Amino acid sequence: MFFASDNSGPVPPQVLTALAEANTGYAMGYGADAEMAEVTARIREIFEAPEAAVFLVATGTAANALALSTLCQPFETIFCTPTAHIHEDECNAPEFYSGGAKLTLVPGAPGFDDKMTPEALRATIAKEETRGVHGPQRGPVSVTQVSERGTIYSLTELQALAAVTKEFDLPLHMDGARFANAMVALDCTPADMTWKVGVDAVSFGGTKNGLLGVEAVIFFDPKHAWEFELRRKRGGHLFSKHRYLSAQMLAYLTDDLWRDNAVKANDNCAYLAQGLRRTKAPFLHEPQANMIFAALPRATHQRLFDAGAAYHLWDGPLDGDPQEQVAARFVCDWAIEKQQIDQFLALITQPE
Amino acid sequence: MFFASDNSGPVPPQVLTALAEANTGYAMGYGADAEMAEVTARIREIFEAPEAAVFLVATGTAANALALSTLCQPFETIFCTPTAHIHEDECNAPEFYSGGAKLTLVPGAPGFDDKMTPEALRATIAKEETRGVHGPQRGPVSVTQVSERGTIYSLTELQALAAVTKEFDLPLHMDGARFANAMVALDCTPADMTWKVGVDAVSFGGTKNGLLGVEAVIFFDPKHAWEFELRRKRGGHLFSKHRYLSAQMLAYLTDDLWRDNAVKANDNCAYLAQGLRRTKAPFLHEPQANMIFAALPRATHQRLFDAGAAYHLWDGPLDGDPQEQVAARFVCDWAIEKQQIDQFLALITQPE
Amino acid sequence: MFFASDNSGPVPPQVLTALAEANTGYAMGYGADAEMAEVTARIREIFEAPEAAVFLVATGTAANALALSTLCQPFETIFCTPTAHIHEDECNAPEFYSGGAKLTLVPGAPGFDDKMTPEALRATIAKEETRGVHGPQRGPVSVTQVSERGTIYSLTELQALAAVTKEFDLPLHMDGARFANAMVALDCTPADMTWKVGVDAVSFGGTKNGLLGVEAVIFFDPKHAWEFELRRKRGGHLFSKHRYLSAQMLAYLTDDLWRDNAVKANDNCAYLAQGLRRTKAPFLHEPQANMIFAALPRATHQRLFDAGAAYHLWDGPLDGDPQEQVAARFVCDWAIEKQQIDQFLALITQPE
Amino acid sequence: MFFASDNSGPVPPQVLTALAEANTGYAMGYGADAEMAEVTARIREIFEAPEAAVFLVATGTAANALALSTLCQPFETIFCTPTAHIHEDECNAPEFYSGGAKLTLVPGAPGFDDKMTPEALRATIAKEETRGVHGPQRGPVSVTQVSERGTIYSLTELQALAAVTKEFDLPLHMDGARFANAMVALDCTPADMTWKVGVDAVSFGGTKNGLLGVEAVIFFDPKHAWEFELRRKRGGHLFSKHRYLSAQMLAYLTDDLWRDNAVKANDNCAYLAQGLRRTKAPFLHEPQANMIFAALPRATHQRLFDAGAAYHLWDGPLDGDPQEQVAARFVCDWAIEKQQIDQFLALITQPE
């Protein structure tokens, strides 16, 4: 009954097999491995972006901080929502990598979904840089798809945000730690969700969707390539035995493993959601990908924890008395078994 | 009719005289001048702080960024209000000097005065660092006295804020760019407004109150002294001909020049306020030091500008239609002549 | 015939098996996995350091830069040799992570081995910080064991260096990317080569000796632990699925795999050296671990390259005419087959 | 008898007069003062560079660090000599401002003058960046004119160095803290010594030549202007009451004050040198500007110090026994009186 995160479960056997297959003979290091050439070709194909620059790193924080620092000057500010991973969960990595850029928070829409709206983005951008040399200059905009609240920007919503960034001539970055979960939910192509709507760079997540620890950073304009390489090395994120990153990413992109995993995770979540609907655990908003935010009676929460269920409590709006309720986040990964979900639902629906 | 800022007027003759007097013979550089020893002694005396470490720099941004970086680790966050100079007007200097620390905004009290309340501070601090290693750690709290909205924290208010910082064992910094204006308004001593209420370090402003460009940084615990010296040098803020900074600061502290200038500036502002009360320019809040925020009919504003009046438009709440009104900030320095104020008031009260 | 580096060959099967075994069920992320507790216990035992703080990262550059930045203030300088990896091969990572500290080069001993001598270290340290606040302050000393020239500091040599660092009260860091190769060559214990001679922190390499990409950072004084954790997270080097790093390191430390691999690599190198001695390829200095630097006639070099041999040309002193000779570096890893070495030796000894 | 530095003496009366004249009425702050427009025009005229971007800061360290950080990426390295001020005397300011760039030392020519030679520069540049992404990339070259050893690059020497920087397409920066002293010694124009020989940016010193604390940073290609402005503000080096910097610089450039001061300083030094030639104080090299490096018998040194003479001991090559001799640096500023020099010479020539 593990719903704490999608970075805690096992990886599919294909990934370990790929590591074993890559483990023969000698290979050029530092990204010059033959597998990486294949990764680049495959990602360019999948994203319909024959010029794209593609790099692998091992963590999402590295992917985001390195991508943003390549797009940002130290005297600029990065626009994101108050719940963005880059703001809340990276211990100042974007500030560090950018050499001290600021993060300016774009207020989320009313309600709990906390997605960035074009109106709020435009208003926030407009307000910055009204002070000439005194305030930070406008820098990149970063959106998170799937958002940290489990919601998904529609293609239209992304287009509207990108229109604002173009208006101010700012680069648009997508933190796609759960890229695949969003894409299969939207039933669109990688290109649809990125450059076709105006995204300039994407952190294309693998770790939360079945890899040991690999994320791709993709720039649709290859002019950023060399600077990114230098920043990656200087950050200590260039692997000597790079082929083991490449092999994972290749396995991920082979036979639709990445899509299948995302479909499984979303389906598991939908199954859990269906069950939860029959309980005293009202959703804080409608689940869209592989995450559910729900209110739980404290007594129920206690019983679940005692029974070994794992999930995080969250800071969320509760209709009822916070003494009697908690807000909880449930995340499903590709591997969670239906039986575990059933066991959890049985526990939660059990009368107090 | 210059009300744009208190950093645009002339300096009193005593300051130039002091420069001339300092301009004889050879002196040790880099802070080892005899005048600096006097400055340190004088500031320790005035602040009743015989152990305090005292340093001079030439700009307020340098004072704030260097002081905060000495109190802050790069993986921490600094707490301040959304209108703080360190957040809005220093082009990421605190982020730069701290090596990439974050600034976490403590929402100002309702209304326009935007002072930090103990409740908001506690709630904001409490919320940070609930994420263990993932989010930034709690760092120093910085309050601005006089605030950027021209309001003044009472000693009781400062005490209450300091109580919160002590609760969490965080250092308290005061941006005192307008230190003297606040102190004379509160009719208290420098010690009352700083270490006696729990302030650990202060940027003690001189530039906005009559100097060419000198601010003192004061640490009440001298353990920070050597690190600050190194940070100052590394920031390019250690003057070789340091005596010319010392001489200015000495003149400032001699014969109560600093208090007199502040009294003059506040009085000038009170005189302007008195006049404005008789006009169609309602205050956004009650003036307390040497700044007024008021709403102006657009037509009046146009007439004032056409007549050469200088002041800044501001982002402020307006009761009426923003098409017909603007929010304006008027700052009085020690030097503005009553006649200029009268001329301005005559203009403003003139019928459209 | 791959002698280009020890980071290009395969990993032993035990490592992949360990990954597969770790790949079951759900585990706490970010270093809270059960395997990491075992790693810490095991490293403390092996190093006879029951208080040591132990962390894993994925690259040697991350290990060095994070360790040094924890020991170093931004206004200090790090002492190392001109050939140190941290100086030549990390694209300014130490400067970046430390917030702008300097690297001061301690001239290597005459000859090609380029090890740091106590005399040169003392002289270099003594010279720094004679300028008070104007120059950088003295910071940590970093030695590389095995050095980048393939030489090994004896325990006595390390002790003598540590004596100098203690004299000036500076921390001593060891870049142990090839820690095991040195240790088995010296036939000593991990404790002998580190804290017993006065080393404060060590980058304990795994990647060059059989892992996919794992290095441990060990502080013998645990007071550095929390700061390191924050710096690791902020650098993007904290793995969510941390168990896969832990599992590798556990396999490494189990059944002496790490020692066995190092013995194999050194033996392979000795075998190659023995063969080379019979050729026209004089050594630039006597090989000690798993690296050989030798002079090659250009014609021989061309023939070797044409035949597919892989190794790096180096900047080294040549007795003869550089038009006719090259300096070459040959590195043996644990996996290189004797047959490959024989084939290479056959080629090299073949008459022109 | 003050020969310790040229930053310790008084400023000429014209500078104080200029401050007094600037001290009337209200002026736009932050560089928008009318005097600054004049400064820019005047510098463009003097340098025959109608497009040049011109900025003022208050210290030489700020000028150098800000200029270099504008020309340098954090993953690059700056080339300078081992005695460069940016390397030895700025407490890591260039590393700090550049976000962690490295300084690569170009060995000085044999002898004590320590000027950079084109051969050494080319060899050093060529060696850097042979490691691809692993080492830092080649960045700006910085030369110091007058050098820290008091020597002067001839125009031909500068041209030869610039030819090397152009060969590698690297920007050339001149640390001109003693710009005027060099220029009058070479009897050339500002343009001759800068853009005409290939200098891209110059720190044009005023402080050591008669100002309270003002240096100009000049970029001959104005494309750097806006970035520099932002970096200056972010570094806390933008003065609100900027007119007092402008006024100093204007006075400096009026009626050839800057040239006259430099001529006086050089003449004073020549007079001192002439006297010293008759003593037991052999020069370490022939004086060229306003600095002398000489060997002194310890007994003489003791007598001079006892008599109140001020100068610095230096790390220099001594022909005789270091137990019996010291190396001393004597700097003359514009203001030192002949009588002081005579008194000093009388002391030094006095028999032991």
Side-chain angles (χ1 to χ4, degrees):
Chain A
M1 298 185 297
F2 199 98
F3 305 103
S5 179
D6 38 6
N7 60 25
S8 309
V11 306
Q14 296 95 313
V15 175
L16 293 184
T17 303
L19 284 180
E21 286 172 3
N23 194 43
T24 47
Y26 290 79
M28 298 290 283
Y30 303 108
D33 50 296
E35 289 91 342
M36 185 59 207
E38 271 190 77
V39 166
T40 301
R42 193 81 190 87
I43 284 186
R44 286 174 172 171
E45 186 188 316
I46 288 175
F47 278 83
E48 305 165 48
E51 305 288 323
V54 180
F55 303 99
L56 301 183
V57 294
T59 72
T61 296
N64 288 335
L66 285 166
L68 286 167
S69 69
T70 303
L71 300 172
C72 187
Q73 292 288 330
F75 39 75
E76 293 180 349
T77 193
I78 298 163
F79 297 92
C80 66
T81 64
T83 56
H85 199 271
I86 59 170
H87 175 59
E88 286 206 311
D89 289 304
E90 302 190 350
C91 197
N92 298 350
E95 288 91 343
F96 172 43
Y97 274 86
S98 63
K102 192 186 279 294
L103 270 61
T104 294
L105 304 182
V106 180
F112 186 68
D113 80 353
D114 222 37
K115 286 195 291 186
M116 198 184 278
T117 64
E119 295 72 31
L121 178 59
R122 181 180 290 106
T124 309
I125 294 176
K127 203 182 156 191
E128 282 298 338
E129 210 178 296
T130 53
R131 293 170 171 264
V133 81
H134 299 278
Q137 305 300 295
R138 296 159 179 158
V141 176
S142 180
V143 293
T144 312
Q145 175 81 317
V146 178
S147 87
E148 297 293 320
R149 290 279 167 80
T151 51
I152 297 177
Y153 291 93
S154 71
L155 298 187
T156 313
E157 286 172 332
L158 287 173
Q159 242 159 350
L161 290 171
V164 177
T165 67
K166 297 314 166 224
E167 193 178 309
F168 291 95
D169 200 21
L170 305 177
L172 180 55
H173 166 257
M174 176 177 282
D175 175 356
R178 296 187 179 93
F179 187 95
N181 302 83
M183 193 191 68
V184 300
L186 291 177
D187 194 19
C188 69
T189 69
D192 286 343
M193 207 167 83
T194 55
W195 64 266
K196 286 194 177 172
V197 290
V199 170
D200 298 295
V202 59
S203 302
F204 175 69
T207 311
K208 287 185 190 298
N209 193 34
L211 300 185
L212 301 169
V214 185
E215 316 278 307
V217 175
I218 306 167
F219 292 99
F220 296 106
D221 184 336
K223 75 178 173 189
H224 300 293
W226 183 232
E227 176 170 344
F228 185 89
E229 281 213 55
L230 292 163
R231 290 187 175 273
R232 178 175 61 167
K233 172 67 196 174
R234 170 175 167 265
H237 288 289
L238 178 58
F239 275 57
S240 57
K241 297 185 175 174
H242 187 279
R243 59 170 145 174
Y244 300 111
L245 295 189
S246 308
Q248 290 183 60
M249 184 51 78
L250 262 189
Y252 190 62
L253 300 175
T254 299
D255 294 337
D256 276 343
L257 177 61
W258 68 298
R259 290 176 214 256
D260 291 351
N261 278 358
V263 167
K264 281 179 190 164
N266 290 4
D267 283 355
N268 289 335
C269 183
Y271 184 78
L272 173 62
Q274 198 180 2
L276 283 174
R277 272 182 234 281
R278 297 186 305 256
T279 71
K280 282 166 284 182
F283 298 157
L284 301 187
H285 58 59
E286 193 54 31
Q288 294 179 261
N290 65 330
M291 277 191 274
I292 298 169
F293 288 81
L296 280 187
R298 277 195 186 271
T300 310
H301 165 58
Q302 193 58 51
R303 199 174 59 235
L304 291 165
F305 259 40
D306 292 347
Y311 54 86
H312 284 295
L313 297 192
W314 221 252
D315 197 32
L318 294 170
D319 281 340
D321 181 351
Q323 296 301 321
E324 301 189 1
Q325 280 186 312
V326 295
R329 187 190 78 163
F330 305 99
V331 190
C332 293
D333 76 347
W334 68 278
I336 187 90
E337 291 167 12
K338 286 242 152 41
Q339 180 197 342
Q340 291 284 311
I341 302 177
D342 288 337
Q343 185 185 341
F344 178 80
L345 288 170
L347 263 169
I348 207 173
T349 49
Q350 190 179 311
E352 298 301 320
Chain B
M1 299 186 296
F2 200 97
F3 306 103
S5 179
D6 37 7
N7 60 26
S8 310
V11 305
Q14 295 95 314
V15 175
L16 293 184
T17 304
L19 285 180
E21 286 172 3
N23 194 42
T24 47
Y26 289 80
M28 300 288 286
Y30 302 110
D33 50 296
E35 288 90 343
M36 186 57 205
E38 270 189 79
V39 166
T40 301
R42 193 82 189 88
I43 284 187
R44 286 174 173 171
E45 187 189 316
I46 287 175
F47 278 84
E48 305 166 48
E51 307 287 323
V54 180
F55 303 100
L56 301 184
V57 294
T59 72
T61 296
N64 288 335
L66 285 167
L68 286 167
S69 70
T70 303
L71 299 172
C72 186
Q73 292 287 331
F75 39 75
E76 293 180 349
T77 193
I78 298 163
F79 297 93
C80 66
T81 64
T83 56
H85 199 270
I86 60 171
H87 176 60
E88 287 206 311
D89 290 303
E90 303 189 349
C91 196
N92 298 349
E95 288 91 343
F96 172 42
Y97 274 86
S98 64
K102 192 185 280 292
L103 269 61
T104 293
L105 304 182
V106 180
F112 186 67
D113 80 352
D114 222 38
K115 286 196 292 185
M116 198 185 277
T117 65
E119 297 71 32
L121 178 59
R122 181 180 290 105
T124 308
I125 294 177
K127 202 182 158 192
E128 280 299 337
E129 209 177 297
T130 53
R131 294 171 171 262
V133 80
H134 298 279
Q137 307 299 296
R138 296 158 179 159
V141 176
S142 181
V143 293
T144 312
Q145 176 81 317
V146 179
S147 86
E148 297 294 320
R149 290 280 167 81
T151 50
I152 297 178
Y153 291 94
S154 72
L155 298 187
T156 312
E157 286 172 334
L158 287 173
Q159 242 160 351
L161 290 171
V164 177
T165 66
K166 297 315 166 219
E167 195 178 308
F168 291 96
D169 201 21
L170 303 177
L172 179 55
H173 166 259
M174 176 179 281
D175 175 355
R178 296 187 179 93
F179 188 94
N181 302 82
M183 194 190 67
V184 300
L186 291 176
D187 193 19
C188 68
T189 70
D192 286 343
M193 207 168 83
T194 55
W195 63 267
K196 286 194 177 172
V197 291
V199 170
D200 297 296
V202 59
S203 303
F204 176 69
T207 312
K208 286 185 191 299
N209 194 33
L211 300 185
L212 300 168
V214 185
E215 316 278 308
V217 175
I218 306 167
F219 292 99
F220 296 106
D221 185 336
K223 74 178 174 190
H224 299 296
W226 183 233
E227 176 170 344
F228 185 89
E229 282 211 55
L230 292 162
R231 288 187 178 274
R232 178 176 59 169
K233 173 66 194 174
R234 171 174 165 266
H237 288 289
L238 177 58
F239 275 57
S240 57
K241 298 185 175 175
H242 188 278
R243 60 171 144 173
Y244 300 110
L245 295 188
S246 307
Q248 290 183 60
M249 184 51 78
L250 261 188
Y252 190 60
L253 299 175
T254 299
D255 294 336
D256 276 342
L257 177 61
W258 67 298
R259 289 178 215 255
D260 290 351
N261 278 358
V263 167
K264 281 179 191 164
N266 290 4
D267 283 355
N268 289 337
C269 183
Y271 184 79
L272 173 63
Q274 200 179 0
L276 284 174
R277 268 181 238 283
R278 296 187 304 258
T279 70
K280 281 168 283 182
F283 298 158
L284 301 187
H285 59 57
E286 191 55 30
Q288 294 179 262
N290 65 329
M291 276 191 273
I292 298 169
F293 289 83
L296 280 188
R298 276 194 187 271
T300 311
H301 165 60
Q302 193 57 51
R303 198 175 59 233
L304 292 165
F305 259 40
D306 291 347
Y311 53 85
H312 284 295
L313 296 191
W314 220 252
D315 197 32
L318 295 170
D319 281 340
D321 181 351
Q323 297 300 321
E324 302 189 359
Q325 280 187 311
V326 296
R329 186 190 78 163
F330 305 98
V331 191
C332 293
D333 75 347
W334 68 278
I336 186 91
E337 291 167 13
K338 286 238 151 43
Q339 181 197 341
Q340 292 284 309
I341 303 178
D342 288 337
Q343 183 184 344
F344 179 79
L345 289 170
L347 264 168
I348 206 173
T349 50
Q350 190 179 312
E352 298 303 322
Chain C
M1 298 187 298
F2 199 97
F3 305 103
S5 178
D6 38 6
N7 60 26
S8 309
V11 305
Q14 296 95 312
V15 174
L16 293 183
T17 303
L19 284 181
E21 285 173 4
N23 194 42
T24 47
Y26 289 80
M28 298 289 285
Y30 302 110
D33 51 296
E35 288 91 344
M36 184 60 206
E38 272 190 77
V39 166
T40 301
R42 194 81 190 88
I43 284 186
R44 286 173 172 174
E45 188 189 316
I46 288 175
F47 277 83
E48 305 165 49
E51 306 287 323
V54 180
F55 303 99
L56 301 182
V57 294
T59 72
T61 296
N64 288 335
L66 284 167
L68 286 167
S69 70
T70 303
L71 300 171
C72 187
Q73 291 288 331
F75 39 75
E76 294 181 346
T77 192
I78 298 164
F79 298 93
C80 65
T81 64
T83 57
H85 199 270
I86 59 171
H87 176 60
E88 285 205 312
D89 290 304
E90 303 190 350
C91 196
N92 299 349
E95 288 91 342
F96 172 42
Y97 274 86
S98 64
K102 191 185 279 294
L103 270 61
T104 293
L105 303 182
V106 180
F112 186 67
D113 80 351
D114 221 37
K115 286 194 292 185
M116 197 185 280
T117 65
E119 295 72 31
L121 178 60
R122 181 181 290 105
T124 309
I125 295 177
K127 203 182 155 193
E128 280 298 337
E129 209 179 296
T130 54
R131 295 172 170 263
V133 79
H134 298 280
Q137 306 300 295
R138 296 157 177 160
V141 176
S142 181
V143 295
T144 311
Q145 176 81 317
V146 178
S147 87
E148 296 294 321
R149 290 279 166 81
T151 51
I152 297 177
Y153 291 95
S154 71
L155 297 187
T156 313
E157 287 172 334
L158 287 174
Q159 242 159 353
L161 290 171
V164 178
T165 66
K166 297 312 167 222
E167 194 179 306
F168 291 96
D169 200 22
L170 304 178
L172 180 55
H173 166 257
M174 175 177 281
D175 176 355
R178 295 185 178 95
F179 188 96
N181 301 84
M183 194 191 66
V184 301
L186 291 177
D187 193 19
C188 68
T189 70
D192 286 344
M193 207 165 85
T194 54
W195 63 267
K196 285 193 177 172
V197 290
V199 170
D200 297 297
V202 59
S203 302
F204 176 69
T207 311
K208 286 184 190 300
N209 194 33
L211 300 186
L212 301 169
V214 185
E215 315 279 308
V217 175
I218 306 169
F219 292 99
F220 296 108
D221 185 336
K223 76 178 174 190
H224 300 295
W226 183 231
E227 177 171 342
F228 184 89
E229 282 212 53
L230 292 163
R231 288 186 177 275
R232 177 175 61 169
K233 172 66 195 176
R234 170 174 165 265
H237 289 289
L238 177 59
F239 274 57
S240 57
K241 297 184 175 175
H242 188 278
R243 60 171 146 174
Y244 300 109
L245 295 189
S246 308
Q248 290 183 59
M249 184 51 77
L250 260 188
Y252 190 60
L253 299 176
T254 298
D255 294 336
D256 276 342
L257 176 61
W258 67 299
R259 290 177 213 256
D260 290 351
N261 278 359
V263 167
K264 281 179 191 163
N266 290 4
D267 283 356
N268 290 336
C269 183
Y271 184 79
L272 173 62
Q274 200 181 358
L276 284 174
R277 271 182 236 281
R278 298 186 305 257
T279 70
K280 282 168 284 186
F283 298 156
L284 301 188
H285 59 58
E286 191 56 31
Q288 294 180 262
N290 65 328
M291 276 191 274
I292 297 169
F293 289 82
L296 280 188
R298 276 194 186 272
T300 311
H301 165 60
Q302 192 59 52
R303 198 175 61 236
L304 291 165
F305 259 41
D306 291 348
Y311 53 86
H312 284 295
L313 297 191
W314 221 252
D315 196 29
L318 295 170
D319 281 339
D321 180 351
Q323 297 299 323
E324 301 189 1
Q325 279 187 312
V326 295
R329 186 190 78 163
F330 305 100
V331 190
C332 293
D333 76 346
W334 69 277
I336 187 89
E337 292 168 12
K338 287 239 149 45
Q339 180 198 341
Q340 292 285 308
I341 302 177
D342 289 336
Q343 185 185 342
F344 179 81
L345 289 170
L347 264 168
I348 207 174
T349 50
Q350 190 181 310
E352 298 303 321
Chain D
M1 298 185 297
F2 200 98
F3 305 103
S5 179
D6 38 6
N7 60 27
S8 309
V11 305
Q14 296 94 313
V15 175
L16 294 184
T17 303
L19 285 180
E21 286 173 2
N23 194 41
T24 46
Y26 289 79
M28 297 291 283
Y30 303 109
D33 50 295
E35 288 91 343
M36 185 59 207
E38 272 189 77
V39 166
T40 301
R42 194 82 189 86
I43 285 188
R44 286 175 172 171
E45 185 189 316
I46 288 175
F47 278 83
E48 304 165 49
E51 305 288 322
V54 180
F55 303 99
L56 301 183
V57 294
T59 73
T61 297
N64 288 335
L66 285 166
L68 285 167
S69 69
T70 303
L71 299 172
C72 186
Q73 291 288 330
F75 38 75
E76 294 180 348
T77 193
I78 298 163
F79 298 91
C80 65
T81 65
T83 57
H85 199 270
I86 59 169
H87 176 58
E88 286 206 311
D89 289 304
E90 302 190 350
C91 196
N92 298 350
E95 288 91 341
F96 172 43
Y97 274 86
S98 63
K102 192 186 280 294
L103 269 62
T104 293
L105 303 182
V106 180
F112 186 68
D113 80 350
D114 222 37
K115 285 195 292 185
M116 197 185 278
T117 65
E119 296 72 30
L121 177 61
R122 182 181 288 104
T124 309
I125 294 177
K127 203 182 156 190
E128 281 298 336
E129 207 178 300
T130 54
R131 294 170 171 265
V133 80
H134 298 280
Q137 306 301 295
R138 296 157 178 160
V141 176
S142 180
V143 294
T144 311
Q145 176 81 317
V146 178
S147 88
E148 297 293 321
R149 292 278 167 82
T151 50
I152 296 177
Y153 292 94
S154 71
L155 296 187
T156 313
E157 286 172 334
L158 287 174
Q159 240 160 353
L161 290 171
V164 178
T165 66
K166 298 312 165 223
E167 195 178 306
F168 291 96
D169 200 20
L170 304 178
L172 179 55
H173 166 256
M174 175 177 284
D175 175 356
R178 295 186 178 93
F179 187 95
N181 302 84
M183 194 191 67
V184 300
L186 291 176
D187 193 18
C188 69
T189 69
D192 286 343
M193 205 166 86
T194 55
W195 64 266
K196 285 194 178 171
V197 290
V199 170
D200 298 296
V202 60
S203 303
F204 175 69
T207 311
K208 287 184 192 298
N209 195 33
L211 300 186
L212 301 169
V214 185
E215 315 278 307
V217 175
I218 306 167
F219 293 99
F220 296 107
D221 184 335
K223 76 178 172 189
H224 299 295
W226 182 232
E227 177 171 343
F228 185 89
E229 282 212 54
L230 292 163
R231 289 187 176 273
R232 178 174 61 167
K233 172 67 195 174
R234 170 175 166 265
H237 288 289
L238 178 58
F239 275 56
S240 57
K241 297 184 175 175
H242 187 278
R243 58 170 145 172
Y244 301 109
L245 296 188
S246 308
Q248 290 184 61
M249 184 50 78
L250 261 189
Y252 190 61
L253 300 175
T254 298
D255 293 337
D256 275 342
L257 176 62
W258 69 298
R259 290 177 215 255
D260 290 351
N261 278 358
V263 167
K264 282 179 190 165
N266 289 5
D267 283 355
N268 290 336
C269 183
Y271 184 78
L272 173 62
Q274 199 181 359
L276 283 174
R277 269 182 237 282
R278 299 187 303 259
T279 71
K280 281 167 285 186
F283 297 157
L284 301 188
H285 59 57
E286 193 55 30
Q288 294 180 262
N290 64 330
M291 276 191 273
I292 298 169
F293 289 82
L296 280 187
R298 274 192 188 273
T300 310
H301 165 58
Q302 191 60 50
R303 198 175 60 236
L304 291 165
F305 258 41
D306 291 348
Y311 53 86
H312 284 295
L313 298 190
W314 221 252
D315 197 31
L318 295 169
D319 281 340
D321 181 350
Q323 296 300 321
E324 301 187 2
Q325 279 186 314
V326 295
R329 186 190 77 164
F330 305 100
V331 190
C332 293
D333 75 348
W334 68 278
I336 187 90
E337 293 169 10
K338 286 237 149 46
Q339 178 197 344
Q340 291 284 308
I341 302 177
D342 289 336
Q343 183 184 342
F344 178 81
L345 289 169
L347 263 169
I348 208 173
T349 51
Q350 190 181 309
E352 298 300 322

